[in-house]
Amino acid sequence: MYGLHWITHLLEDQRTKDSMYHALTYATILEMQAMMTFDPQHILAAGHTMKEAQAICQRHRKKSAFSKGFTEEELHAEVCYAECLLQRAALTFLQDENMISFIKGGIKVRNSYQTYKELHAILQSTGYTHGNDHGHFEGGVKLGVGAFNLMISMLPTRTLKLLEFVGFSGNKEFGLQQLLEGSSESTFRSFLCNMLLLCYHTFMSFILGTGEGDVEDAEKLLQPYLKKYPKGSIFLFFAGRIEEIKGNLDAAINRFQECCEAQQQWKQFHHMCYWELMWCFTYKRHWKMAYFYADLLSKENAWSKATYVYMKAAYLSMLSSDDCLTFGETAVTLFRQVPGLKQKIAGKSLPTEKFAIRKARRYLSENPIPLTAAPLEMMYIWNGYTVIGKHKDLTENMLRTLDEAQAKLGNCGRNEFTTDDQCLLSLLKGLCLKHLGRHEEAEQYFTLVLCNESQIKYDHYLVPNALLEHGLLCLEQGRNSEAIKLLEAAKQNYKNYSMESRTHFRIQAALHKAKGVKENGIHVPSSP
């Protein structure tokens, strides 16, 4: 991904006004930019361009429902049209997440999904004949069918219920298979299939799942691109992410730094690297370096100033007051800035930002009671313990830091936050012990959170997450029926807590694993 600006310039010609594929490719690049920047102008420009691309596809679609069969051009028009609808739906949600937008986007998603289902049926039918550009058509169908099955299979049950009225269902294995087939062929959509698979294995399965993406598959998918484009930013970024989730932090840091040096046109790639570098140094407990990247993000990136400043404060809270002097700011002053930095993207506050603001509120009093191990708590929100769990030394060092926080907490007098802070440390220590194979001790710590449930005043998210982690521990030991009970309790008995949606995604992934369910509670013999 050397020169996306050059590609954009190339596509800004007459061909985007009459060629379906030129129009769709140009609109897709603008949508990628909008998704990375959250800039309202970029979102509007991408939406306008995607709408124009859809109109071009419409001109080439079959004119009459009564005419038999499709010409090759009409089939390509259908698959491009479905792709435009899907991308416009994503932009609708990005632009404004209110109910009207949900319905508008939902209608586009439904139409896109139905089109992909019909095209998949055509591909499977005996009457279908291969045209000259059959591969590009089939690749488009595999991309859409694969993406739908994969994404819908990950949705929590309650979200799925909202979608069931339009007949949605998802099969994760089938979705992955379709995308893998689409990525292995030389078609227009191969790259997109590949990128979606890499995103799933290296991000979605961690942030919205139980952290079990297939790293080997990700490496196989990435290797040919990295070989062909050794300085390609997007490939270096994924290479860094793969090293990171393997726990090879020094190798990951080198890759992310290479990625930043590879190009200067799209600063958003730098920011994505800064975010990962911040976490790599957090896992290493190098608080000053982690602060450095959080500081860069707070100055250069508009995604969530509140989150970045919160992380800066969190890292300074792990340092001595003398060490903080060199930075010219203190944890307390930074934490106090966080609530004032709240923003709404697409009409809605980011869950991570809401979490940071809630936690920072305890610094608004004249004599604030410090947060306990703030960076290690946010690290849990981003499922970082799955990363350090790959290496014994990283996990043992983190456990030592948590023990130090426990001792510090014990030396302070009791206050309104004491039980919450103790339960937080119990959850995090339980996670470290689980990864160290000390399962009995880990279980005791998870149970301890549940025992103190009635005394927790603010951090109510700790209880369902302790049940989730306890369930995952049981699952690891083959105690599936016990795991299901714990996971169902986490899902059914708690609501309106911090980061609730993310927890429900993880619960859903764990339940799928526990029950051996390949589909999202709906048995649809013929996927998609």
Side-chain angles (χ1 to χ4, degrees), residues 238-413:
F238 277 116
R241 180 64 188 168
I242 287 167
E243 293 296 348
E244 183 182 346
I245 59 183
K246 283 162 72 176
N248 301 334
L249 299 181
D250 290 336
I253 288 165
N254 288 337
R255 283 299 202 185
F256 291 131
Q257 288 172 342
E258 271 185 80
C259 178
C260 291
E261 290 162 11
Q263 60 83 39
Q264 299 300 318
Q265 292 96 338
W266 271 36
K267 288 291 182 183
Q268 288 78 24
F269 270 111
H270 291 197
H271 300 156
M272 287 158 65
C273 291
Y274 296 164
W275 177 259
E276 296 303 326
L277 283 161
M278 180 186 83
W279 287 118
C280 285
F281 284 112
T282 304
Y283 303 147
K284 287 165 73 77
R285 300 178 310 132
H286 291 183
W287 312 125
K288 290 180 182 179
M289 284 302 295
Y291 166 91
F292 171 76
Y293 285 106
D295 185 48
L296 275 177
L297 284 165
S298 73
K299 288 170 180 170
E300 295 182 18
N301 188 267
W303 172 66
S304 174
K305 299 284 186 189
T307 302
Y308 301 142
V309 171
Y310 178 85
M311 292 311 297
K312 283 174 64 178
Y315 295 126
L316 290 187
S317 73
M318 302 298 284
L319 300 172
S320 68
S321 50
D322 285 346
D323 277 337
C324 289
L325 288 173
T326 58
F327 295 101
E329 46 194 359
T330 68
V332 175
T333 54
L334 286 169
F335 277 127
R336 284 175 175 164
Q337 288 173 28
V338 172
L341 295 168
K342 184 179 181 179
Q343 64 178 352
K344 288 194 173 183
I345 291 176
K348 199 170 183 179
S349 298
L350 293 160
T352 311
E353 188 160 285
K354 283 182 184 171
F355 181 84
I357 289 165
R358 275 196 203 106
K359 298 297 294 187
R361 277 185 192 140
R362 62 197 258 186
Y363 283 85
L364 297 179
S365 63
E366 197 174 333
N367 297 304
I369 296 158
L371 285 165
T372 302
L376 306 194
E377 180 180 26
M378 190 64 95
M379 181 176 140
Y380 173 68
I381 296 300
W382 290 89
N383 214 4
Y385 289 84
T386 311
V387 174
I388 65 163
K390 305 274 172 42
H391 284 260
K392 188 182 176 187
D393 59 332
L394 292 173
T395 311
E396 284 176 341
N397 288 339
M398 203 59 76
L399 185 58
R400 199 172 300 120
T401 300
L402 289 164
D403 284 335
E404 289 165 8
Q406 184 95 57
K408 197 173 177 182
L409 191 62
N411 292 331
C412 301

Side-chain angles (χ1 to χ4, degrees), residues 164-214:
E164 272 178 359
F165 74 95
V166 292
F168 281 19
S169 61
N171 180 317
K172 185 178 87 172
E173 282 69 25
F174 182 72
L176 288 170
Q177 176 208 330
Q178 289 288 292
L179 290 169
L180 196 57
E181 287 175 12
S183 73
S184 63
E185 295 151 5
S186 298
T187 72
F188 290 133
R189 270 80 172 209
S190 301
F191 178 75
L192 289 176
C193 287
N194 201 306
M195 289 300 104
L196 195 48
L197 282 167
L198 283 169
C199 283
Y200 174 75
H201 289 312
T202 63
F203 283 99
M204 288 185 282
S205 63
F206 280 82
I207 296 164
L208 303 177
T210 55
E212 293 181 340
D214 196 322

Side-chain angles (χ1 to χ4, degrees), residues 377-517:
E377 180 180 26
M378 190 64 95
M379 181 176 140
Y380 173 68
I381 296 300
W382 290 89
N383 214 4
Y385 289 84
T386 311
V387 174
I388 65 163
K390 305 274 172 42
H391 284 260
K392 188 182 176 187
D393 59 332
L394 292 173
T395 311
E396 284 176 341
N397 288 339
M398 203 59 76
L399 185 58
R400 199 172 300 120
T401 300
L402 289 164
D403 284 335
E404 289 165 8
Q406 184 95 57
K408 197 173 177 182
L409 191 62
N411 292 331
C412 301
R414 282 196 71 83
N415 56 66
E416 61 179 316
F417 300 106
T418 300
T419 303
D420 294 54
D421 290 345
Q422 285 173 341
C423 286
L424 168 63
L425 293 175
S426 293
L427 173 66
L428 302 184
K429 286 175 82 170
L431 276 167
C432 289
L433 291 163
K434 182 186 90 166
H435 287 298
L436 290 168
R438 292 158 63 179
H439 292 160
E440 203 173 309
E441 290 174 80
E443 209 162 335
Q444 287 170 359
Y445 275 112
F446 295 144
T447 307
L448 195 58
V449 179
L450 200 61
C451 291
N452 285 288
E453 179 180 356
S454 61
Q455 294 176 61
I456 291 174
K457 293 186 75 170
Y458 303 103
D459 295 329
H460 302 290
Y461 84 94
L462 292 169
V463 181
N465 278 277
L467 285 165
L468 164 61
E469 300 303 339
H470 195 170
L472 287 168
L473 174 58
C474 290
L475 199 53
E476 201 176 295
Q477 297 177 312
R479 295 151 58 191
N480 285 31
S481 58
E482 202 176 334
I484 289 166
K485 280 181 191 171
L486 290 162
L487 293 166
E488 288 290 354
K491 184 168 86 168
Q492 305 293 348
N493 300 344
Y494 303 91
K495 59 182 181 180
N496 301 324
Y497 54 86
S498 293
M499 306 302 293
E500 187 175 353
S501 290
R502 195 169 291 190
T503 302
H504 274 270
F505 269 102
R506 288 180 183 169
I507 291 167
Q508 187 74 1
L511 279 169
H512 277 201
K513 192 178 174 188
K515 295 176 179 178
V517 176

